[in-house]
């Protein structure tokens, strides 16, 4: 190592470039940087496997918790499609790291599931005619509880507890 090869602060330029090159090769070997990548799934409540169809009675009752506990208020005035059973909408609250599909199910309950497919980073959408959440990229289908109904996805979507109070919907996004 010669003084000419050192950057200010004592960093060897050649060694820094070699380290950067090794890291790039490691990422390439892992498959990063291709056209397709695994979705980044933020942690959420674990769905119950093989839970069967959602109950006919809404289970959530009582007041929601605080924002510090992860409760996010969604005014229905901002999502009028959610007022009637069968309505659905994308609910996105960046400050709460929340991006979900919310469906006002036929039984009058609300269901909210993560909007990014666990197979390939595509945005899923509610298909009311089929009664499923579907990924347009590869055809994965999910139930309103987040479980996989049809692959290629093998991991469920995170499902979030919902509660309607007055003219607002509250979603629990655990911190």
């Amino acid at each position: 190592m010669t003084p000419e090869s050192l950057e200010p602060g004592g960093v060897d330029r050649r060694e820094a470039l070699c380290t950067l090159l090794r890291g790039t090769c490691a990422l390439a070997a892992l498959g990063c940087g291709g056209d397709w990548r695994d979705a980044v799934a933020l942690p959420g409540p674990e769905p119950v496997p093989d839970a069967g169809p959602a109950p006919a009675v809404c289970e959530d009752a009582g007041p929601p918790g605080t924002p510090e506990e992860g409760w996010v208020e969604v005014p229905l005035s901002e999502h009028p499609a959610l007022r009637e059973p069968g309505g659905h909408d994308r609910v996105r609250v960046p400050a709460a790291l929340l991006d979900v599909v919310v469906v006002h199910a036929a039984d009058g309950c609300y269901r909210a599931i993560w909007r990014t497919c666990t197979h390939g980073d595509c945005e899923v959408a509610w298909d009311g005619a089929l009664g499923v959440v579907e990924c347009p990229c590869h055809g994965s289908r999910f139930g309103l509880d987040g479980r996989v109904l049809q692959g290629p996805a093998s991991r469920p979507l995170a499902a979030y507890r919902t509660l309607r109070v007055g003219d607002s919907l509250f979603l629990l996004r655990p911190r």
Side-chain angles (χ1 to χ4, degrees):
M1 175 170 32
T2 64
E4 296 83 36
S5 67
L6 293 180
E7 291 289 321
V11 176
D12 181 358
R13 205 174 322 160
R14 176 172 286 181
E15 185 59 34
L17 288 173
C18 287
T19 301
L20 180 62
L21 181 60
R22 281 192 297 273
T24 303
C25 291
L27 286 175
L30 291 173
C32 297
D35 291 271
W36 182 88
R37 60 188 167 123
D38 259 344
V40 174
L42 296 175
E46 290 295 322
V48 178
D50 300 317
V57 177
C58 299
E59 293 179 1
D60 288 331
T66 65
E68 291 76 26
E69 295 170 322
W71 285 95
V72 179
E73 182 175 8
V74 178
L76 291 176
S77 61
E78 296 176 12
H79 302 276
L82 295 175
R83 292 185 185 275
E84 298 297 321
H88 60 93
D89 204 358
R90 173 186 184 179
V91 173
R92 187 168 185 264
V93 184
L97 299 176
L98 188 71
D99 191 4
V100 294
V101 173
V102 177
V103 177
H104 189 164
D107 61 8
C109 300
Y110 290 87
R111 306 296 191 298
I113 61 172
W114 190 248
R115 196 157 181 274
T116 304
C117 181
T118 57
H119 173 252
D121 201 24
C122 293
E123 294 180 355
V124 299
W126 172 246
D127 185 328
L130 295 175
V132 298
V133 175
E134 187 169 39
C135 178
C137 295
H138 302 105
S140 293
R141 291 183 178 169
F142 303 86
L144 283 177
D145 59 357
R147 69 188 155 110
V148 177
L149 301 175
Q150 171 183 311
S154 60
R155 294 176 301 170
L157 295 172
Y160 299 89
R161 185 174 168 203
T162 60
L163 176 64
R164 182 172 177 176
V165 177
D167 205 32
S168 287
L169 186 63
F170 289 84
L171 288 85
L172 178 59
R173 172 73 170 98
R175 303 264 177 218

